[in-house]
Amino acid sequence: MNDVTLFCTDGKSVQSLLEACKDFGKASGAKINVDKSQAKLFSRWDLCNEPLSFPIEAGLVKILDIWFGGPEAAAKSWNEPLAKVKQKLGFWSLRHLSIEGKALVLRNDALPVLQYVAQAWPLLANVARAVNSMVFHFVWHSKMDRVKRTVMHKEHRKGGKAVPDIPTILRAFFVCGCVRITLMNENKDHSAYRVFRFFLLPVW
């Protein structure tokens, strides 16, 4: 069993976790590799009475390709998939696609890569600008737009080209996730509820 991430809320839950791991080890013969394990502390922890068995990671941690643990985690989480999208669009630029074909590539190949990060982090302003620049450079093969972007985002029946407005989609995706978790969480005092309420304040 590799790459398991577990969340504990206090020292007591950590001790319960270690006991459960010991019981599992007795039954299966498996053992935790302490050298390859690490703990990341969020907020304040009192470890004087209940020290951890694992080394404490002071920097960022990566969980399922998303970075956590500091103010720079969001930027790092966005920059990596942004580079992947840039590479993908570079490959597609070698083909002679119509605008409709490029819109399809953006919707089906580029958007899902960024949408994954939007489950965890809100879209940063500089990332939104970079995405828009990347999208329309891919569409026009130039830094100069030939048609207004607002027109390009419109559906075909409204005179547009149905080029996806990726920044708006990513913002909506993140907000929908916050709303869903907030409504499903019955414990109003839970930290997750307060965190997502914070992100929802501008639209609440």
Side-chain angles (χ1 to χ4, degrees):
M1 186 166 58
N2 297 321
D3 298 329
V4 177
T5 302
L6 300 168
F7 293 89
C8 298
T9 56
D10 51 31
K12 185 177 180 181
S13 60
V14 172
Q15 296 304 318
S16 298
L17 169 64
L18 295 177
E19 290 297 327
C21 290
K22 288 180 181 178
D23 293 340
F24 176 78
K26 291 177 182 178
S28 64
K31 187 178 180 181
I32 296 177
N33 189 339
V34 179
D35 295 332
K36 292 185 177 181
S37 302
Q38 60 184 9
K40 177 65 180 177
L41 305 182
F42 296 90
S43 188
R44 296 180 180 178
W45 279 68
D46 184 9
L47 301 176
C48 297
N49 299 325
E50 297 174 333
L52 295 178
S53 304
F54 311 114
I56 298 176
E57 174 60 45
L60 302 179
V61 292
K62 193 175 188 180
I63 303 173
L64 298 176
D65 284 335
I66 304 293
W67 290 94
F68 299 95
E72 67 276 16
K76 194 168 184 178
S77 295
W78 280 111
N79 288 337
E80 291 180 359
L82 204 60
K84 292 181 182 178
V85 170
K86 186 175 182 179
Q87 186 180 42
K88 284 176 177 287
L89 297 184
F91 288 144
W92 281 108
S93 295
L94 301 176
R95 299 174 178 267
H96 299 287
L97 301 175
S98 64
I99 292 180
E100 287 77 9
K102 292 176 180 178
L104 193 63
V105 168
L106 291 169
R107 189 176 299 107
N108 295 336
D109 202 16
L111 178 59
V113 177
L114 299 172
Q115 209 166 15
Y116 178 74
V117 185
Q119 297 178 93
W121 289 109
L123 184 66
L124 303 178
N126 62 321
V127 175
R129 289 192 295 269
V131 169
N132 270 329
S133 176
M134 195 182 303
V135 165
F136 285 97
H137 188 273
F138 171 65
V139 170
W140 299 120
H141 285 288
S142 171
K143 293 183 179 180
M144 184 177 294
D145 296 350
R146 301 175 188 175
V147 180
K148 286 185 177 181
R149 295 182 179 183
T150 52
V151 175
M152 295 294 290
H153 290 317
K154 291 181 179 179
E155 300 175 7
H156 291 101
R157 60 188 178 86
K158 294 183 179 180
K161 289 296 184 180
V163 174
D165 186 355
I166 292 181
T168 300
I169 294 172
L170 295 176
R171 292 188 185 101
F173 192 76
F174 178 78
V175 170
C176 288
C178 292
V179 171
R180 183 176 63 253
I181 293 174
T182 303
L183 294 178
M184 290 175 60
N185 196 334
E186 297 179 356
N187 183 6
K188 307 299 182 184
D189 295 326
H190 196 277
S191 57
Y193 179 84
R194 294 195 294 270
V195 168
F196 287 111
R197 275 295 300 271
F198 169 78
F199 283 119
L200 289 174
L201 283 177
V203 295
W204 200 256

